[in-house]
Amino acid sequence: MYVRVSSRKTASGQMVRYLQLAHNEWDPVAKMSRTKVLHSFGREDELDRAAIERLVVSLSRLLDPGRAAVATGPAELVFVQSRPFGGTDVLDGLWRALGLDAVMRAQLSGRRLDARVERVLFALVANRCLDASSKLAAADWISNDVHIAGLDAVDEQACYRAMDWLLQIEAVLAKEVYHRVTDLLNLEVDLLFFDTTSTYFEIDEADEPVARDEHGRALADPEDTEAASRRGFRAYGNSKDHRDDLPQVIVGMAVTRDGIPVRVWSWPGGTGDSELIRQARDDMRAWTVSKVVWVADRGFASAANRAHLMRGGGSYIIGERLRSGSAEAAQALSRQGRYATVRDNLQVKEVNLGDGDRWIVCFNPAQAERDAHIRTKMINRLEEAIAGSDGLHRDKRNQLAGVISTKPGLRRYLRITPGGLLRVDQAAVKAEARLDGKYLLRCSDPKLTPEDIATGYKQLLEVERGWRDLKQIIDLRPIFHRREDRIRAHVLLCWLALLLVRVAENRTGHTWHRLRDHLQRLHLATFTGNAGTYRQTSEPTKPQRDIYTALGLPLPKKIIDLTASV
């Protein structure tokens, strides 16, 4: 297909050129090629050039951004490269809208640091969101694969220096981010959800123990006699990733009811949950002007934790272990009363145990059916495993019981008779059936309704979603660092990345996977020639324009920069 030019002389003797879109077709009868005109553009001197430009742009959308840039670029210029642009541009827009750049620049005042350190930190955060990698690979990605406004290139050492500075300003940054984010997004912070996770390291040995304060921070003097403990940062402990064989660190996060992460903490591996929520509450106590209800899972339900959370007029909603055998749980479940249906197939019943706390029994009929189905499957498996065991020698039965004891799903229903026979524990089956679809909540706030308490606790899933995204999208692990300060800084970068991702998701109603896929197709092409060099963005698609609109960000300019040759 090509543009055909034909000439014709008018009555006045003027030579006029006509343009036509044509292509050649093979005529099998005549056994020759014939020209077929597809469209006539008319006289060259009366050409509707705007219409042709629209046609070229429309056709260029069928090409990948790089080839489109070559096809639509000026003939005098040479196409140099094309880089993904939309992802970093949108993240940068959110970064500035949340005031993160202003906070960091304010902390740079009076410091003898490279003024680009804020740009380096943004680039590292964008890397976590778009193509998470090690800092060495991130430096190459920043320099060669994407466009970061104000940062053409960076090396690995500059990334490490920026991370070191980030750790120095952590306290100020966290406080400013909290106030700016909550004010700008009009977040409801009457409920703060707290949870922890662990992340492991593929190393053989844990770190050497050092003196630490009550918050798990290494002390300057390793021989400090006032140290609260002596622990390595990467240490063994109960792994929530089921890797107790590897050293780990503990990460805690506070999240609003909208799923926005407002603070993150790092502690040595093996730190107990009781220590963690107390520090989190103390660190954020001075930030909030209104009463805050802390929502936490069963691991934080100790009496000391509850008392700590109530200091200064605070409150809590905490899950209780139904299978702990506690007297309170048994009493709450045994009390009679009607359930009231609230929402989402959730039923609640409040009981008074006379201990000052409010107890809410929650029941989900659909979950009860699932629990019963799973229990039936477990019992069937257990019956198959012990079938015919009565005829075995006692040692063989003991061996079989030992194997079953390694499987928690079967072990809870196994009973060994005084004579050493293996049976299904029908009492345990009945006890478990009483717990189907139920969970128990303890609340100290006298004003919240049972519905508010139950639905508030369900929102704790937002923290779990945050952990999932940190590990699967932002790639908290693997951590390519061995020094404690760099590991802590890496966690902060992941927190900032999750903050931008969650804001983008909340404002658009789409997952980050979908947003990222659309945005990374918006490219920035570079052309160069005798006159100079310029960069031009590809034409935004409708989904891309919709994303910018939903986020309240302006569409990128067509020409990003223009540099004339000297």
Side-chain angles (χ1 to χ4, degrees), residues 154-333:
V154 71
D155 58 37
E156 183 185 11
Q157 293 306 313
C159 294
Y160 288 140
R161 288 192 295 271
M163 292 175 64
D164 294 342
W165 179 70
L166 175 63
L167 196 60
Q168 295 174 23
I169 66 168
E170 175 186 1
V172 176
L173 175 67
K175 181 179 180 180
E176 289 296 322
V177 166
Y178 173 81
H179 288 301
R180 288 172 179 263
V181 167
T182 52
D183 289 345
L184 182 65
L185 303 180
N186 295 317
L187 296 180
E188 296 184 41
V189 291
D190 55 332
L191 293 181
L192 275 178
F193 303 86
F194 180 80
D195 198 9
T196 63
T197 190
S198 58
T199 184
Y200 58 83
F201 295 79
E202 299 282 358
I203 59 175
D204 297 328
E205 297 294 335
D207 293 340
E208 291 294 325
V210 297
R212 298 185 179 277
D213 62 18
E214 68 277 11
H215 292 161
R217 295 275 183 176
L219 298 173
D221 182 3
E223 305 301 326
D224 196 328
T225 58
E226 301 297 322
S229 64
R230 295 185 62 84
R231 289 178 290 177
F233 192 58
R234 296 179 295 180
Y236 292 105
N238 181 31
S239 172
K240 297 187 179 183
D241 296 305
H242 309 291
R243 292 305 305 267
D244 294 347
D245 59 317
L246 296 174
Q248 61 181 326
V249 298
I250 305 298
V251 180
M253 185 164 56
V255 176
T256 70
R257 66 166 70 211
D258 303 289
I260 305 296
V262 292
R263 185 73 196 267
V264 72
W265 295 264
S266 301
W267 291 280
T271 305
D273 283 348
S274 295
E275 304 172 54
L276 310 186
I277 195 169
R278 297 177 202 173
Q279 182 190 342
R281 193 266 179 192
D282 290 344
D283 286 349
M284 300 190 67
R285 179 173 52 187
W287 296 4
T288 57
V289 295
S290 59
K291 180 179 178 180
V292 171
V293 179
W294 286 83
V295 185
D297 210 341
R298 298 182 299 266
F300 304 96
S302 69
N305 282 347
R306 299 197 307 271
H308 201 91
L309 293 177
M310 290 186 67
R311 290 182 182 177
S315 301
Y316 57 77
I317 300 172
I318 295 181
E320 281 287 329
R321 299 181 186 274
L322 285 177
R323 298 177 178 85
S324 64
S326 69
E328 294 94 341
Q331 291 180 47
L333 290 174

Side-chain angles (χ1 to χ4, degrees), residues 335-341 347-351 361:
R335 293 295 175 89
Q336 299 296 317
R338 288 180 172 273
Y339 283 98
T341 302
Q347 301 176 18
V348 299
K349 176 178 65 175
E350 183 171 2
V351 297
V361 182

